Amino acid sequence: MIEKLNTLETGLRGIPVGYCPTSYVDPEKGLFYGEYPIREVAFWEPEEVLYLLIHGERGSQTEVKEFSAQLKKEEVLSKESIRAIEGLPKQGDPMKLFSAALLLLGTLEGKGDYRADCIALIAKIPHLTAILINHHGGFGRTPSPDKNLSYMDNFVHMLRIPNTDSERLRKILTLYNILHYDHGGGNLSTFVGKAVASGLEDLFGSIAAAMSALAGPRHGKANQESLHFVKQAFDACKGDGNEENIEAFLREKIFNKELIFGFGHAVLRVEDPRATVQYELAEKLYPDHPLVKIALLLRKVGPRVLKENPKISNPYPNVDAISGTLLTAAGFTQNVYYTPLFGLSRSCGIAIQIVYERCYAREGRGTPIVRPKYIYKPYKR
Ligand code: MLT
């Protein structure tokens, strides 16, 4: 009987498997953190948003202040952890180092308590990510966190990317961080993190596994691919970006059966509001930047062209459509680090969801080990 179910080999698309207290994705309205649409929280302070994700409601000024102080206390990695991360090889994709760094941090500083490790991870992840990017990119030694700076200001202070438009980059990275914390319970990295934790692996090991899930081009790495796509469109237009040229570029891609990056989503059926907020910021900060202009033309022409294919259920831009372009416009052109930036943010949402599943779900008993059923089917010979 079960063989007839159309849920097999569909990536569990749309199949409810649990509860998520942090956020949800409405196909028509987009992402909500608690009861707040992402648009509304996009320009809050990161500490306020993290508090909301942890507690399910907005904190009072005093509560957020206390929470920020709690993060401050734990923001610095031990000398041993710093040395271990700076001892990692520099070759290859930085996401491999990111997972390795999380495992090292867990080994050297983990307490084996989901709640305590979740707060420690949220507090320390900016320092860890800055060390990792500076080390991998050869941008120099990472300064210690500054105890007078807030969560993301501190990250920008520690990041040594050369020649950036620093004040605007601070704004962009703070927005980027907030937009990527969480995306409901079922996105791949979150699901993987919770699945690994269901075997009672500790928080850092579970997050390291989740970051490997994030590293793939169908998930977190799509932000790098989308920037590449915008650059390809720019080159194809040969300095004359207009709707006609962009349409021709897209049609050629579709004709050659190549992927159209930055469009579509498994759940959303409208433009991703996380993209909308970034488009607005790009139009405000960099209206004349050549890649921003191309990204805006793709936003306009893409849905019209993609809608012609009835098989495409969502022809609209997603979060990746403009994020890389915006970072590039601010001088952060080293696109291999866009996925670690996604990881810096998403590891917080995943950690919070793991705490729910391990410590609160099913009246505190926690969810059982993930163990779906697979049906035996011999290879076709
Ligand atoms: C995400 O933010 O995780 C992506 O939009 C993918 C998803 O929600 O499945």
Side-chain angles (χ1 to χ4, degrees), residues 34-273:
E35 297 301 319
Y36 294 86
I38 190 67
R39 257 195 105 76
E40 210 174 312
V41 304
F43 294 97
W44 289 8
E45 289 303 321
E47 292 89 331
E48 280 185 279
V49 183
L50 288 165
Y51 184 98
L52 168 66
L53 291 172
I54 292 172
H55 297 278
E57 54 189 27
R58 193 172 190 179
S60 66
Q61 266 187 3
T62 318
E63 285 164 336
V64 174
K65 213 169 146 196
E66 277 169 18
F67 172 61
S68 307
Q70 191 183 7
L71 294 181
K72 274 268 145 220
K73 263 196 229 148
E74 300 207 40
E75 69 185 357
V76 188
L77 263 65
S78 71
K79 285 205 175 65
E80 215 182 348
S81 296
I82 298 172
R83 220 176 305 123
I85 296 169
E86 289 181 341
L88 288 169
K90 291 184 184 178
Q91 65 261 51
D93 191 291
M95 281 308 282
K96 299 270 189 299
L97 264 70
F98 197 63
S99 293
L102 283 159
L103 289 173
L104 289 169
L105 182 64
T107 306
L108 296 168
E109 299 189 46
K111 296 189 179 77
D113 174 288
Y114 289 111
R115 289 188 189 88
D117 284 343
C118 171
I119 297 298
L121 175 107
I122 294 173
K124 290 180 201 305
I125 198 77
H127 194 193
L128 179 147
T129 310
I131 295 169
L132 180 120
I133 294 178
N134 294 337
H135 167 67
H136 185 272
F139 303 131
R141 288 309 291 271
T142 306
S144 301
D146 180 335
K147 60 177 174 4
N148 298 312
L149 290 178
S150 62
Y151 192 70
M152 277 308 282
D153 286 3
N154 219 342
F155 175 67
V156 178
H157 148 76
M158 292 183 282
L159 197 64
R160 292 273 119 152
I161 305 281
N163 308 320
T164 56
D165 178 353
S166 52
E167 184 42 36
R168 288 184 186 185
L169 182 64
R170 192 187 62 78
K171 223 184 216 152
I172 294 165
L173 283 175
T174 305
L175 176 67
Y176 185 102
N177 190 249
I178 290 173
L179 296 180
H180 289 83
Y181 282 143
D182 214 37
H183 209 235
N187 64 81
L188 181 67
S189 50
T190 305
F191 181 72
V192 166
K194 291 186 294 190
V196 173
S198 80
L200 302 187
E201 166 61 338
D202 70 13
L203 189 104
F204 288 97
S206 305
I207 299 289
M211 291 302 107
S212 294
L214 188 73
R218 278 184 176 174
H219 193 14
K221 200 179 185 183
N223 58 13
Q224 298 180 34
E225 304 292 346
S226 299
L227 172 64
H228 184 59
F229 191 73
V230 172
K231 284 181 175 167
Q232 279 184 341
F234 174 80
D235 291 342
C237 292
K238 297 190 178 73
D240 183 22
N242 58 45
E243 287 188 35
E244 257 171 43
N245 290 345
I246 290 289
E247 185 169 333
F249 165 77
L250 287 170
R251 290 198 185 284
E252 196 182 325
K253 287 270 173 205
I254 293 168
F255 181 79
N256 292 332
K257 298 198 172 10
E258 289 177 58
L259 286 176
I260 307 293
F261 281 99
F263 289 81
H265 193 274
V267 180
L268 293 166
R269 295 294 171 262
V270 289
E271 178 173 290
D272 188 333

